[in-house]
Coordinates of all heavy atoms in Angstrom, one line a residue:
I9 N 0.8 -1.2 0.0 CA 0.0 0.0 0.0 C 0.9 1.2 0.0 O 1.8 1.3 0.8 CB -0.9 0.0 1.2 CG1 -1.9 -1.1 1.1 CG2 -1.7 1.3 1.3 CD1 -2.8 -1.2 2.3
E10 N 0.6 2.2 -0.9 CA 1.3 3.4 -0.9 C 0.3 4.5 -0.7 O -0.8 4.5 -1.2 CB 1.9 3.6 -2.3 CG 2.7 4.9 -2.5 CD 3.2 5.0 -3.9 OE1 3.5 4.0 -4.6 OE2 3.4 6.1 -4.4
L11 N 0.7 5.5 0.1 CA -0.2 6.7 0.4 C 0.6 7.9 0.2 O 1.7 8.0 0.7 CB -0.7 6.6 1.9 CG -1.5 7.8 2.3 CD1 -2.8 7.9 1.5 CD2 -1.9 7.7 3.8
R12 N 0.1 8.8 -0.6 CA 0.8 10.1 -0.9 C -0.2 11.3 -0.7 O -1.4 11.2 -1.0 CB 1.3 10.1 -2.3 CG 2.4 9.1 -2.6 CD 3.1 9.4 -3.9 NE 2.2 8.9 -5.0 CZ 2.4 9.2 -6.2 NH1 3.4 10.1 -6.6 NH2 1.6 8.8 -7.2
E13 N 0.4 12.3 -0.3 CA -0.3 13.6 -0.2 C 0.4 14.6 -1.1 O 1.6 14.8 -1.0 CB -0.3 14.2 1.2 CG -1.1 13.4 2.2 CD -2.6 13.4 2.0 OE1 -3.1 14.4 1.5 OE2 -3.2 12.3 2.3
I14 N -0.3 15.1 -2.1 CA 0.3 15.9 -3.1 C -0.3 17.3 -3.1 O -1.6 17.4 -3.2 CB 0.2 15.3 -4.5 CG1 0.8 13.9 -4.5 CG2 0.8 16.2 -5.6 CD1 0.3 13.0 -5.7
Y15 N 0.5 18.4 -3.1 CA 0.0 19.7 -3.3 C 0.3 20.1 -4.7 O 1.5 20.1 -5.1 CB 0.6 20.7 -2.3 CG 0.1 22.1 -2.5 CD1 -1.1 22.5 -2.1 CD2 1.0 23.0 -3.2 CE1 -1.5 23.8 -2.4 CE2 0.5 24.3 -3.5 CZ -0.7 24.7 -3.1 OH -1.1 26.0 -3.3
D16 N -0.7 20.5 -5.4 CA -0.5 21.0 -6.8 C -1.0 22.4 -6.9 O -2.2 22.7 -6.6 CB -1.3 20.0 -7.8 CG -0.9 20.3 -9.2 OD1 -0.5 21.4 -9.6 OD2 -1.1 19.3 -10.0
D17 N -0.2 23.3 -7.4 CA -0.6 24.7 -7.5 C -1.3 25.1 -8.8 O -1.7 26.2 -9.0 CB 0.6 25.7 -7.2 CG 1.6 25.6 -8.3 OD1 1.6 24.6 -9.1 OD2 2.5 26.4 -8.3
N18 N -1.5 24.1 -9.7 CA -2.2 24.3 -11.0 C -2.8 23.0 -11.4 O -2.3 22.4 -12.4 CB -1.2 24.9 -12.0 CG -1.9 25.4 -13.2 OD1 -3.1 25.4 -13.4 ND2 -1.1 25.9 -14.2
I19 N -3.8 22.6 -10.8 CA -4.4 21.2 -11.1 C -4.9 21.1 -12.5 O -5.0 20.0 -13.1 CB -5.4 20.8 -10.1 CG1 -6.7 21.7 -10.1 CG2 -4.8 20.7 -8.7 CD1 -7.8 21.2 -9.3
F20 N -5.4 22.2 -13.1 CA -5.9 22.1 -14.5 C -4.9 22.5 -15.6 O -5.2 22.5 -16.8 CB -7.1 23.0 -14.6 CG -8.3 22.6 -13.7 CD1 -8.7 23.5 -12.7 CD2 -8.9 21.4 -13.8 CE1 -9.7 23.1 -11.8 CE2 -9.9 21.0 -13.0 CZ -10.3 21.9 -11.9
R21 N -3.7 22.7 -15.2 CA -2.6 23.0 -16.1 C -2.9 24.2 -17.1 O -2.7 24.1 -18.3 CB -2.2 21.8 -16.9 CG -1.8 20.6 -16.1 CD -0.5 20.8 -15.4 NE -0.1 19.7 -14.6 CZ -0.1 19.6 -13.3 NH1 -0.5 20.6 -12.6 NH2 0.3 18.5 -12.6
T22 N -3.4 25.2 -16.5 CA -3.8 26.4 -17.4 C -2.7 27.5 -17.2 O -2.2 27.6 -16.1 CB -5.2 27.0 -17.0 OG1 -5.2 27.3 -15.6 CG2 -6.3 25.9 -17.3
P23 N -2.5 28.3 -18.2 CA -1.5 29.4 -18.1 C -1.9 30.5 -17.2 O -1.1 31.2 -16.6 CB -1.2 29.8 -19.5 CG -2.4 29.4 -20.3 CD -3.0 28.2 -19.6
S24 N -3.2 30.7 -17.1 CA -3.8 31.8 -16.2 C -4.9 31.1 -15.4 O -5.3 30.0 -15.7 CB -4.3 32.9 -17.1 OG -5.3 32.5 -17.9
N25 N -5.4 31.9 -14.4 CA -6.5 31.4 -13.6 C -6.1 30.1 -12.9 O -6.9 29.1 -12.9 CB -7.8 31.3 -14.4 CG -9.0 31.8 -13.6 OD1 -8.8 32.3 -12.6 ND2 -10.1 31.6 -14.2
R26 N -4.9 30.0 -12.3 CA -4.4 28.8 -11.7 C -5.3 28.4 -10.5 O -5.7 29.3 -9.7 CB -3.0 29.0 -11.3 CG -2.1 29.2 -12.5 CD -0.8 29.8 -12.1 NE 0.1 28.9 -11.3 CZ 1.1 28.3 -11.9 NH1 1.4 28.4 -13.1 NH2 1.8 27.4 -11.1
Q27 N -5.5 27.1 -10.3 CA -6.2 26.7 -9.1 C -5.4 25.6 -8.4 O -5.0 24.6 -9.0 CB -7.6 26.1 -9.5 CG -8.5 25.9 -8.4 CD -10.0 25.8 -8.8 OE1 -10.3 25.8 -10.0 NE2 -10.8 25.6 -7.8
S28 N -5.2 25.7 -7.1 CA -4.4 24.8 -6.4 C -5.3 23.9 -5.6 O -6.5 24.2 -5.3 CB -3.5 25.5 -5.4 OG -4.2 26.3 -4.5
D29 N -4.8 22.7 -5.2 CA -5.5 21.8 -4.3 C -4.6 20.8 -3.7 O -3.5 20.6 -4.2 CB -6.6 21.1 -5.2 CG -7.8 20.6 -4.3 OD1 -7.6 20.6 -3.1 OD2 -8.8 20.2 -4.9
L30 N -5.0 20.1 -2.7 CA -4.3 19.0 -2.1 C -5.0 17.7 -2.5 O -6.2 17.6 -2.4 CB -4.4 19.2 -0.5 CG -3.6 18.1 0.3 CD1 -2.1 18.2 0.1 CD2 -4.0 18.2 1.7
I31 N -4.2 16.8 -3.0 CA -4.7 15.5 -3.5 C -4.1 14.4 -2.6 O -2.9 14.3 -2.4 CB -4.3 15.3 -4.9 CG1 -4.6 16.5 -5.8 CG2 -4.9 14.0 -5.5 CD1 -3.5 17.0 -6.5
S32 N -5.0 13.5 -2.1 CA -4.6 12.3 -1.4 C -4.8 11.1 -2.3 O -5.8 10.9 -3.0 CB -5.6 12.1 -0.2 OG -5.5 13.2 0.7
V33 N -3.7 10.4 -2.5 CA -3.6 9.2 -3.4 C -3.3 8.0 -2.6 O -2.3 8.0 -1.9 CB -2.6 9.5 -4.5 CG1 -2.6 8.2 -5.5 CG2 -2.9 10.7 -5.3
I34 N -4.1 7.0 -2.7 CA -3.8 5.7 -2.1 C -3.7 4.7 -3.2 O -4.5 4.6 -4.2 CB -4.9 5.3 -1.1 CG1 -4.4 4.0 -0.4 CG2 -6.2 5.1 -1.7 CD1 -5.2 3.7 0.9
K35 N -2.6 3.8 -3.2 CA -2.4 2.8 -4.2 C -2.2 1.5 -3.5 O -1.1 1.1 -3.1 CB -1.1 3.2 -4.9 CG -1.2 4.4 -5.8 CD 0.1 4.6 -6.6 CE -0.1 5.6 -7.7 NZ 1.2 5.7 -8.5
P36 N -3.3 0.7 -3.4 CA -3.2 -0.7 -2.8 C -2.8 -1.6 -4.0 O -3.1 -1.4 -5.1 CB -4.6 -0.9 -2.3 CG -5.5 -0.1 -3.2 CD -4.7 1.1 -3.5
G37 N -2.2 -2.7 -3.6 CA -1.9 -3.8 -4.6 C -1.6 -5.1 -3.9 O -1.1 -5.1 -2.8
A38 N -1.8 -6.1 -4.7 CA -1.6 -7.5 -4.2 C -1.2 -8.4 -5.3 O -1.7 -8.3 -6.4 CB -2.8 -8.0 -3.4
L39 N -0.3 -9.3 -5.1 CA 0.1 -10.3 -6.1 C 0.2 -11.7 -5.4 O 0.8 -11.8 -4.3 CB 1.5 -10.0 -6.6 CG 2.1 -11.0 -7.6 CD1 1.3 -11.1 -8.9 CD2 3.6 -10.6 -7.9
L40 N -0.5 -12.6 -6.0 CA -0.5 -14.0 -5.5 C 0.0 -14.9 -6.6 O -0.6 -14.9 -7.7 CB -2.0 -14.4 -5.1 CG -2.2 -15.8 -4.6 CD1 -1.4 -16.1 -3.3 CD2 -3.7 -16.1 -4.4
K41 N 1.1 -15.6 -6.4 CA 1.7 -16.3 -7.4 C 2.1 -17.7 -6.9 O 2.7 -17.9 -5.8 CB 3.0 -15.6 -7.8 CG 3.7 -16.1 -9.0 CD 4.8 -15.2 -9.4 CE 5.6 -15.6 -10.6 NZ 6.7 -14.7 -11.0
S42 N 1.8 -18.8 -7.7 CA 2.1 -20.1 -7.3 C 3.6 -20.3 -7.5 O 4.3 -19.7 -8.3 CB 1.3 -21.1 -8.2 OG 1.8 -21.1 -9.5
D43 N 4.2 -21.3 -6.8 CA 5.6 -21.7 -6.9 C 5.7 -23.1 -7.3 O 6.7 -23.8 -6.8 CB 6.4 -21.3 -5.7 CG 6.0 -22.0 -4.5 OD1 5.0 -22.7 -4.5 OD2 6.7 -21.9 -3.4
W44 N 4.8 -23.7 -8.0 CA 4.8 -25.1 -8.4 C 5.9 -25.3 -9.4 O 6.3 -24.5 -10.2 CB 3.5 -25.5 -9.0 CG 2.3 -25.1 -8.2 CD1 2.2 -25.1 -6.8 CD2 1.0 -24.7 -8.7 NE1 1.0 -24.8 -6.4 CE2 0.2 -24.5 -7.5 CE3 0.5 -24.6 -9.9 CZ2 -1.1 -24.1 -7.6 CZ3 -0.9 -24.2 -10.0 CH2 -1.6 -24.0 -8.9
A45 N 6.4 -26.6 -9.4 CA 7.5 -27.0 -10.3 C 6.9 -27.1 -11.8 O 7.6 -26.8 -12.7 CB 8.1 -28.3 -9.9
R46 N 5.6 -27.5 -11.9 CA 4.9 -27.5 -13.2 C 3.7 -26.7 -13.1 O 3.0 -26.6 -12.0 CB 4.5 -29.0 -13.5 CG 5.7 -29.9 -13.7 CD 5.3 -31.2 -14.4 NE 4.6 -30.8 -15.6 CZ 3.9 -31.7 -16.3 NH1 3.8 -32.9 -15.9 NH2 3.2 -31.3 -17.4
H47 N 3.3 -26.2 -14.2 CA 2.1 -25.3 -14.3 C 2.3 -24.0 -13.5 O 3.2 -23.9 -12.8 CB 0.8 -26.1 -14.0 CG 0.7 -27.4 -14.6 ND1 0.8 -27.7 -15.9 CD2 0.6 -28.7 -14.0 CE1 0.7 -29.0 -16.2 NE2 0.6 -29.6 -15.0
G48 N 1.3 -23.2 -13.6 CA 1.4 -22.0 -12.8 C 0.2 -21.1 -12.8 O -0.6 -21.1 -13.8
L49 N -0.1 -20.4 -11.7 CA -1.2 -19.5 -11.6 C -0.7 -18.2 -11.0 O 0.2 -18.2 -10.1 CB -2.3 -20.0 -10.7 CG -3.2 -21.2 -11.3 CD1 -4.2 -21.7 -10.2 CD2 -3.9 -20.7 -12.5
Q50 N -1.2 -17.1 -11.4 CA -0.9 -15.8 -10.8 C -2.1 -14.9 -10.9 O -2.8 -14.8 -11.9 CB 0.3 -15.2 -11.6 CG 0.7 -13.8 -11.2 CD 1.8 -13.2 -12.0 OE1 2.8 -13.9 -12.1 NE2 1.6 -12.0 -12.5
F51 N -2.3 -14.2 -9.8 CA -3.4 -13.3 -9.6 C -2.9 -11.9 -9.2 O -2.0 -11.9 -8.2 CB -4.5 -13.8 -8.7 CG -5.1 -15.0 -9.1 CD1 -4.7 -16.2 -8.5 CD2 -6.1 -15.1 -10.1 CE1 -5.3 -17.4 -8.9 CE2 -6.7 -16.3 -10.5 CZ -6.3 -17.4 -9.9
R52 N -3.3 -10.8 -9.8 CA -2.8 -9.5 -9.4 C -3.9 -8.5 -9.4 O -4.8 -8.6 -10.2 CB -1.7 -9.0 -10.4 CG -1.2 -7.7 -10.1 CD 0.0 -7.3 -11.1 NE -0.5 -7.2 -12.4 CZ 0.0 -6.3 -13.3 NH1 0.9 -5.4 -12.9 NH2 -0.4 -6.2 -14.5
A53 N -3.9 -7.7 -8.4 CA -4.9 -6.6 -8.3 C -4.2 -5.3 -7.8 O -3.4 -5.4 -6.9 CB -6.0 -7.0 -7.3
E54 N -4.5 -4.2 -8.4 CA -3.9 -3.0 -7.9 C -4.8 -1.8 -8.3 O -5.7 -2.0 -9.2 CB -2.5 -2.8 -8.5 CG -2.4 -2.8 -10.0 CD -1.0 -2.8 -10.5 OE1 -0.2 -3.7 -10.0 OE2 -0.6 -2.0 -11.3
G55 N -4.6 -0.7 -7.7 CA -5.4 0.5 -7.9 C -4.7 1.7 -7.5 O -3.7 1.7 -6.9
A56 N -5.3 2.8 -8.0 CA -4.9 4.2 -7.6 C -6.2 5.0 -7.4 O -7.0 5.1 -8.4 CB -4.0 4.8 -8.7
F57 N -6.4 5.5 -6.3 CA -7.6 6.3 -5.9 C -7.2 7.6 -5.4 O -6.4 7.8 -4.5 CB -8.4 5.5 -4.9 CG -8.7 4.1 -5.2 CD1 -7.9 3.1 -4.8 CD2 -9.7 3.8 -6.1 CE1 -8.1 1.8 -5.2 CE2 -10.0 2.5 -6.5 CZ -9.2 1.5 -6.0
G58 N -7.6 8.7 -6.2 CA -7.2 10.0 -5.9 C -8.4 10.8 -5.4 O -9.5 10.8 -6.0
R59 N -8.2 11.6 -4.3 CA -9.2 12.4 -3.7 C -8.7 13.8 -3.5 O -7.7 14.1 -2.9 CB -9.7 11.9 -2.3 CG -10.4 10.5 -2.4 CD -11.7 10.6 -3.1 NE -12.4 9.3 -3.3 CZ -12.4 8.6 -4.4 NH1 -11.7 9.0 -5.4 NH2 -13.0 7.5 -4.4
Y60 N -9.4 14.8 -4.2 CA -9.1 16.2 -4.1 C -9.8 16.8 -2.9 O -11.0 16.5 -2.6 CB -9.5 16.9 -5.4 CG -8.6 16.6 -6.5 CD1 -8.6 15.4 -7.2 CD2 -7.6 17.5 -7.0 CE1 -7.8 15.1 -8.3 CE2 -6.8 17.3 -8.1 CZ -6.9 16.0 -8.7 OH -6.1 15.8 -9.8
L61 N -9.1 17.7 -2.2 CA -9.7 18.3 -1.0 C -10.8 19.3 -1.4 O -11.9 19.2 -0.8 CB -8.6 19.1 -0.2 CG -9.0 19.7 1.1 CD1 -9.5 18.6 2.1 CD2 -7.9 20.5 1.7
D62 N -10.6 20.2 -2.4 CA -11.6 21.2 -2.7 C -12.3 20.9 -4.1 O -13.4 21.4 -4.3 CB -10.9 22.6 -2.8 CG -10.4 23.0 -1.5 OD1 -11.0 22.7 -0.5 OD2 -9.3 23.6 -1.5
N63 N -11.7 20.2 -4.9 CA -12.2 19.9 -6.3 C -12.6 18.5 -6.4 O -12.0 17.7 -7.2 CB -11.2 20.3 -7.4 CG -10.9 21.8 -7.3 OD1 -11.7 22.6 -7.8 ND2 -9.8 22.1 -6.7
D64 N -13.7 18.0 -5.7 CA -14.0 16.6 -5.7 C -14.5 16.1 -7.1 O -14.6 14.9 -7.3 CB -15.0 16.3 -4.6 CG -16.3 17.1 -4.7 OD1 -16.5 17.9 -5.5 OD2 -17.2 16.8 -3.8
S65 N -14.9 17.0 -8.0 CA -15.2 16.6 -9.3 C -14.0 16.0 -10.1 O -14.2 15.3 -11.1 CB -15.8 17.7 -10.2 OG -14.8 18.7 -10.4
E66 N -12.8 16.2 -9.6 CA -11.6 15.6 -10.2 C -11.2 14.3 -9.6 O -10.1 13.8 -10.0 CB -10.5 16.7 -10.1 CG -10.8 18.0 -10.8 CD -11.1 17.8 -12.3 OE1 -10.3 17.1 -13.0 OE2 -12.1 18.3 -12.7
N67 N -11.9 13.8 -8.6 CA -11.5 12.5 -8.0 C -11.5 11.4 -9.0 O -12.2 11.5 -10.0 CB -12.6 12.2 -6.9 CG -12.5 13.1 -5.7 OD1 -11.6 13.9 -5.5 ND2 -13.5 13.0 -4.8
Y68 N -10.6 10.5 -8.8 CA -10.5 9.4 -9.8 C -10.3 8.0 -9.1 O -9.8 8.0 -7.9 CB -9.4 9.7 -10.8 CG -8.0 9.8 -10.2 CD1 -7.2 8.6 -10.0 CD2 -7.5 11.0 -9.7 CE1 -6.0 8.7 -9.5 CE2 -6.2 11.1 -9.2 CZ -5.5 10.0 -9.1 OH -4.2 10.0 -8.5
E69 N -10.6 7.0 -9.8 CA -10.4 5.6 -9.4 C -9.9 4.8 -10.6 O -10.6 4.7 -11.6 CB -11.7 4.9 -8.9 CG -12.3 5.5 -7.7 CD -13.3 6.7 -8.0 OE1 -13.8 6.7 -9.1 OE2 -13.4 7.5 -7.1
D70 N -8.7 4.3 -10.5 CA -8.1 3.5 -11.5 C -7.8 2.1 -10.9 O -7.3 2.1 -9.8 CB -6.8 4.1 -12.1 CG -7.0 5.4 -12.8 OD1 -8.0 5.6 -13.4 OD2 -6.1 6.2 -12.7
Y71 N -8.0 1.1 -11.6 CA -7.8 -0.3 -11.1 C -7.4 -1.3 -12.2 O -7.7 -1.0 -13.3 CB -9.0 -0.8 -10.2 CG -10.2 -1.0 -11.1 CD1 -10.5 -2.2 -11.7 CD2 -11.1 0.1 -11.3 CE1 -11.6 -2.4 -12.4 CE2 -12.2 -0.1 -12.1 CZ -12.5 -1.4 -12.6 OH -13.6 -1.6 -13.4
L72 N -6.8 -2.3 -11.7 CA -6.4 -3.4 -12.6 C -6.6 -4.7 -11.9 O -6.2 -4.9 -10.7 CB -4.9 -3.3 -13.0 CG -4.3 -4.5 -13.6 CD1 -4.7 -4.7 -15.1 CD2 -2.8 -4.4 -13.5
I73 N -7.3 -5.7 -12.6 CA -7.4 -7.0 -12.0 C -6.9 -8.0 -13.1 O -7.3 -7.8 -14.3 CB -8.9 -7.4 -11.7 CG1 -9.4 -6.4 -10.6 CG2 -9.0 -8.8 -11.2 CD1 -10.9 -6.5 -10.4
E74 N -6.0 -8.9 -12.8 CA -5.4 -9.8 -13.8 C -5.2 -11.2 -13.3 O -4.9 -11.4 -12.1 CB -4.1 -9.2 -14.2 CG -3.3 -9.9 -15.3 CD -2.0 -9.3 -15.6 OE1 -1.1 -9.4 -14.8 OE2 -1.9 -8.7 -16.7
G75 N -5.5 -12.1 -14.1 CA -5.2 -13.5 -13.8 C -4.4 -14.2 -15.0 O -4.7 -13.9 -16.1
K76 N -3.4 -15.0 -14.6 CA -2.6 -15.7 -15.6 C -2.6 -17.1 -15.2 O -2.5 -17.5 -14.1 CB -1.2 -15.2 -15.6 CG -1.0 -13.8 -16.2 CD 0.5 -13.4 -16.2 CE 0.7 -12.0 -16.7 NZ 2.2 -11.7 -16.7
G77 N -2.5 -18.0 -16.3 CA -2.4 -19.4 -16.0 C -1.4 -20.0 -17.1 O -1.4 -19.5 -18.2
R78 N -0.6 -21.0 -16.6 CA 0.3 -21.6 -17.5 C 0.1 -23.1 -17.4 O 0.1 -23.7 -16.3 CB 1.7 -21.2 -17.2 CG 2.8 -21.8 -18.2 CD 4.2 -21.6 -17.8 NE 4.5 -22.6 -16.8 CZ 4.8 -22.3 -15.5 NH1 4.9 -21.1 -15.1 NH2 5.1 -23.3 -14.6
L79 N -0.1 -23.8 -18.5 CA -0.2 -25.3 -18.5 C 1.0 -25.8 -19.2 O 1.2 -25.6 -20.5 CB -1.5 -25.7 -19.2 CG -1.7 -27.1 -19.4 CD1 -1.9 -27.8 -18.0 CD2 -3.0 -27.4 -20.3
D80 N 1.9 -26.5 -18.5 CA 3.1 -27.1 -19.1 C 2.7 -28.4 -19.8 O 2.1 -29.2 -19.2 CB 4.1 -27.4 -18.0 CG 4.7 -26.1 -17.4 OD1 4.7 -25.1 -18.0 OD2 5.0 -26.2 -16.2
I81 N 3.1 -28.5 -21.1 CA 2.8 -29.7 -21.9 C 4.0 -30.6 -21.9 O 3.9 -31.8 -21.4 CB 2.4 -29.3 -23.3 CG1 1.1 -28.3 -23.2 CG2 2.1 -30.5 -24.2 CD1 0.7 -27.7 -24.5
V82 N 5.1 -30.2 -22.5 CA 6.3 -31.0 -22.5 C 7.4 -30.0 -22.3 O 7.2 -28.8 -22.3 CB 6.5 -31.8 -23.8 CG1 5.5 -32.9 -23.9 CG2 6.5 -30.9 -25.0
Y83 N 8.7 -30.4 -22.2 CA 9.8 -29.6 -22.0 C 9.8 -28.4 -23.0 O 9.7 -28.5 -24.2 CB 11.1 -30.4 -22.2 CG 12.3 -29.5 -22.0 CD1 12.8 -29.1 -20.8 CD2 13.0 -29.1 -23.1 CE1 13.9 -28.3 -20.6 CE2 14.2 -28.3 -23.0 CZ 14.6 -27.9 -21.7 OH 15.7 -27.1 -21.6
D84 N 9.8 -27.2 -22.5 CA 9.8 -25.9 -23.2 C 8.6 -25.7 -24.1 O 8.6 -24.8 -25.0 CB 11.1 -25.9 -24.1 CG 11.9 -24.7 -23.9 OD1 11.6 -23.9 -22.9 OD2 12.9 -24.4 -24.7
T85 N 7.5 -26.4 -23.8 CA 6.3 -26.1 -24.6 C 5.1 -26.0 -23.5 O 5.0 -26.8 -22.6 CB 5.9 -27.3 -25.5 OG1 7.0 -27.5 -26.4 CG2 4.7 -27.0 -26.3
Y86 N 4.4 -24.9 -23.6 CA 3.3 -24.6 -22.7 C 2.3 -23.8 -23.3 O 2.5 -23.1 -24.3 CB 3.9 -24.0 -21.4 CG 4.6 -22.7 -21.6 CD1 3.9 -21.5 -21.6 CD2 6.0 -22.6 -21.9 CE1 4.5 -20.3 -21.8 CE2 6.6 -21.4 -22.1 CZ 5.9 -20.3 -22.0 OH 6.5 -19.1 -22.3
L87 N 1.1 -23.8 -22.7 CA 0.0 -22.8 -23.1 C -0.1 -21.8 -21.9 O 0.0 -22.2 -20.8 CB -1.3 -23.6 -23.2 CG -1.4 -24.6 -24.4 CD1 -2.7 -25.4 -24.3 CD2 -1.3 -23.8 -25.7
E88 N -0.3 -20.6 -22.3 CA -0.5 -19.5 -21.3 C -1.7 -18.7 -21.7 O -2.0 -18.4 -22.8 CB 0.7 -18.6 -21.3 CG 0.8 -17.7 -20.2 CD 2.1 -16.9 -20.0 OE1 2.4 -16.0 -20.8 OE2 2.8 -17.3 -19.1
A89 N -2.5 -18.4 -20.7 CA -3.7 -17.5 -20.8 C -3.6 -16.4 -19.8 O -3.2 -16.5 -18.7 CB -4.9 -18.4 -20.6
V90 N -4.1 -15.2 -20.3 CA -4.1 -14.0 -19.5 C -5.5 -13.4 -19.6 O -6.0 -13.2 -20.7 CB -3.1 -13.0 -19.9 CG1 -3.2 -11.7 -19.0 CG2 -1.7 -13.6 -19.8
V91 N -6.1 -13.1 -18.5 CA -7.4 -12.4 -18.4 C -7.1 -11.1 -17.6 O -6.6 -11.1 -16.5 CB -8.5 -13.2 -17.7 CG1 -9.8 -12.4 -17.6 CG2 -8.7 -14.5 -18.5
R92 N -7.5 -9.9 -18.2 CA -7.2 -8.7 -17.6 C -8.3 -7.7 -17.7 O -9.0 -7.6 -18.8 CB -5.9 -8.1 -18.3 CG -5.4 -6.8 -17.8 CD -4.2 -6.4 -18.5 NE -3.7 -5.2 -18.0 CZ -2.4 -5.0 -17.8 NH1 -1.5 -5.8 -18.2 NH2 -2.0 -3.8 -17.3
H93 N -8.6 -7.0 -16.7 CA -9.7 -5.9 -16.7 C -9.1 -4.7 -16.1 O -8.6 -4.7 -15.0 CB -10.9 -6.4 -16.0 CG -12.0 -5.4 -16.0 ND1 -12.7 -5.1 -17.2 CD2 -12.5 -4.6 -15.1 CE1 -13.6 -4.2 -16.9 NE2 -13.5 -3.9 -15.6
E94 N -9.2 -3.6 -16.8 CA -8.7 -2.3 -16.3 C -9.9 -1.3 -16.3 O -10.8 -1.3 -17.0 CB -7.6 -1.7 -17.2 CG -6.4 -2.5 -17.2 CD -5.3 -1.9 -18.0 OE1 -4.8 -0.8 -17.6 OE2 -4.9 -2.5 -19.0

C-alpha cells in the first residue's frame, strides 16, 4: 500500500487562472503467485484512488485485475492464458 499527499498549485494546467488543491492518493496492490514446479497461476490486483480536497469533481479511481495461467505440456512447450480488466 502506498499513500501520498500531493499539493498541486495548478491542477488544471492552465497558463492563467491557476487553481491549487491538495490530493490524497492511495495505491493498494496485491500479487498471489504459485511456486509449483509444473504449471502456474498468478493473480494480481492494484489500484490508484485520488481524492481532491476542494475539487471533488476531479476525484478518480483506476484499477487493474489480472489472472494468468500456464499449462506445461512438454519440455519448453506450454500454453499460457491471461485475463485482464482495467
Side-chain angles (χ1 to χ4, degrees):
I9 294 177
E10 179 183 332
L11 177 62
R12 291 192 286 164
E13 295 293 327
I14 303 164
Y15 176 78
D16 191 336
D17 66 348
N18 189 4
I19 63 171
F20 297 115
R21 304 289 182 254
T22 56
S24 61
N25 222 8
R26 298 163 68 104
Q27 192 163 1
S28 63
D29 206 346
L30 181 67
I31 308 123
S32 299
V33 180
I34 185 166
K35 292 182 167 186
L39 175 65
L40 177 62
K41 188 174 180 179
S42 67
D43 63 352
W44 306 327
R46 294 196 54 192
H47 314 302
L49 287 175
Q50 177 178 308
F51 299 100
R52 179 172 66 140
E54 56 189 52
F57 306 96
R59 295 292 178 260
Y60 287 74
L61 184 62
D62 296 323
N63 296 281
D64 59 357
S65 65
E66 299 302 309
N67 292 349
Y68 62 89
E69 296 86 27
D70 295 329
Y71 63 92
L72 163 78
I73 300 170
E74 180 180 75
K76 290 183 181 180
R78 188 189 77 244
L79 178 63
D80 295 331
I81 300 170
V82 293
Y83 178 77
D84 235 10
T85 304
Y86 60 89
L87 292 173
E88 189 170 76
V90 178
V91 176
R92 182 179 183 141
H93 181 68
E94 293 185 63

